[in-house]
Amino acid sequence: QRHERGDRDERLDALLTPEDFRKIVIHLVLGFNRNRNEGYRPQEFMLTDRVEPRPIDLWSWGVTHRAGHLRAMSSDRVRLNLLPRSEAVVTDSGIRFRKVFYTCDTEQKQQWRVEARSKHSWKVGVAYDPLNTDSLFLVTENGFEPCRLLDVSALFAHRSWYEVKDYFAGTAGLKDRSATRELQSKTDRNAQLAAIVQNAAQRREGFEEPASKAAAIRGIRKNRKAERDRERVGANGRSQALLESVTDAELLEPVAPEMNGAGYVPPPVDFNLLREQREQHRRNQ
């Protein structure tokens, strides 16, 4: 039914549990089997044996006069044949069904993963239980062969396929949000790099252009050394300021290490060595 804007959401009126819904469906099927099908074309046997056009009567007459006795089958066999069917893909990582990986005895004996790695992947028929990921069966000419979850997909054990679908939908959403965040981070980084390059270009505008290419690179080694020396002097100055700001009490009384979740304890610090280095630095001034 098509919904218009402003229509009430029928999900708000939900009352039935899945068990209640199954019971209703069973009663409807039983009722259909007992009702007359007026559109059914009568056949000769129906007139002779006075069989009414009801599904239950047609079934009973057919079992008695046409098909003979029904075959007896175990409940497990019936359940397997009633499972929904689909297709899985044999890959070099195992039998992949809805992004979950399985293996089975046939796959291991015939080395399907090796074949898929050297040649190509192919599809196989499977039967599955929508409510249990542990129940996946390879459909073969001889029947059904149970499959087992591989360790890489152990996270999905004892789940329903609806939960698996929700999981991958959630990870796809996280991936989309992560992509947006990475794009924003990349944009900010590019803007910062462009600003650095622009500032460097503006600084260069204040210098006179060399007369030739040879003149431009003539003193490049000397200038590089001078720049490194300037940075070294600046770094030493910052280190001295840091040492001057540390008091004797801070050197003598170590702070108790904080324990984090991993139980990490920092290694001990030789405070006497720090004090000697500080005094030596003062004498050299």
Side-chain angles (χ1 to χ4, degrees):
Q1 182 180 359
R2 183 175 181 179
H3 296 278
E4 300 293 340
R5 184 179 179 87
D7 288 350
R8 177 175 176 80
D9 190 343
E10 68 275 6
R11 292 174 295 182
L12 300 176
D13 302 325
L15 296 174
L16 303 178
T17 66
E19 181 65 21
D20 295 333
F21 182 77
R22 283 191 288 270
K23 289 180 179 178
I24 291 175
V25 172
I26 291 173
H27 285 295
L28 290 175
V29 171
L30 294 176
F32 173 82
N33 289 337
R34 295 188 179 97
N35 290 336
R36 285 179 60 90
N37 184 358
E38 300 298 344
Y40 189 87
R41 178 179 297 181
Q43 300 183 24
E44 183 179 354
F45 74 87
M46 297 176 62
L47 301 176
T48 303
D49 295 343
R50 298 181 179 180
V51 179
E52 294 192 32
R54 305 175 190 271
I56 186 65
D57 294 340
L58 294 172
W59 169 268
S60 299
W61 187 93
V63 168
T64 304
H65 297 88
R66 292 286 177 87
H69 296 290
L70 297 177
R71 291 180 298 171
M73 298 183 68
S74 66
S75 58
D76 290 338
R77 186 70 178 180
V78 173
R79 174 178 173 273
L80 284 175
N81 283 274
L82 292 177
L83 290 177
R85 305 291 180 88
S86 186
E87 288 184 333
V89 181
V90 178
T91 71
D92 58 355
S93 298
I95 302 173
R96 186 185 70 228
F97 180 65
R98 297 183 178 179
K99 301 181 181 181
V100 180
F101 290 89
Y102 292 82
T103 185
C104 64
D105 293 341
T106 299
E107 184 271 320
Q108 293 182 345
K109 291 178 181 177
Q110 299 183 7
Q111 297 184 341
W112 283 359
R113 274 178 273 185
V114 177
E115 184 177 353
R117 186 180 302 113
S118 60
K119 297 181 180 179
H120 57 81
S121 300
W122 67 93
K123 295 181 179 180
V124 292
V126 294
Y128 67 98
D129 184 348
L131 300 179
N132 189 0
T133 55
D134 297 336
S135 297
L136 184 78
F137 301 90
L138 182 67
V139 180
T140 66
E141 296 179 355
N142 299 324
F144 301 88
E145 181 177 345
C147 298
R148 303 178 297 277
L149 280 167
L150 289 172
D151 291 341
V152 69
S153 296
L155 172 66
F156 305 107
H158 317 305
R159 305 280 186 178
S160 72
W161 286 107
Y162 306 106
E163 292 177 290
V164 174
K165 182 179 179 180
D166 291 341
Y167 171 84
F168 285 112
T171 55
L174 289 175
K175 184 177 180 180
D176 292 339
R177 288 193 293 270
S178 177
T180 301
R181 182 178 178 183
E182 290 179 3
L183 179 61
Q184 182 62 49
S185 176
K186 183 178 180 180
T187 302
D188 295 341
R189 183 177 67 251
N190 290 340
Q192 293 169 351
L193 296 178
I196 294 173
V197 174
Q198 184 179 3
N199 291 335
Q202 291 176 353
R203 288 197 308 268
R204 184 176 180 180
E205 292 176 358
F207 295 93
E208 182 180 356
E209 291 290 336
S212 63
K213 179 180 178 180
I217 63 176
R218 183 178 298 119
I220 191 170
R221 181 176 299 178
K222 180 179 179 182
N223 293 336
R224 187 185 296 122
K225 182 178 183 303
E227 183 66 17
R228 286 200 299 264
D229 293 341
R230 185 185 66 81
E231 289 189 350
R232 187 181 301 109
V233 171
N236 290 337
R238 289 190 296 271
S239 299
Q240 178 180 352
L242 177 62
L243 287 172
E244 293 293 343
S245 65
V246 179
T247 63
D248 290 338
E250 291 173 333
L251 292 175
L252 293 174
E253 298 180 4
V255 180
E258 296 182 357
M259 299 294 292
N260 57 22
Y264 171 76
V265 179
V269 180
D270 190 345
F271 295 98
N272 291 328
L273 179 59
L274 287 176
R275 188 182 301 106
E276 292 176 1
Q277 291 178 349
R278 180 185 176 193
E279 295 298 331
Q280 179 67 30
H281 183 75
R282 287 177 177 177
R283 289 194 296 268
N284 293 336
Q285 291 181 344

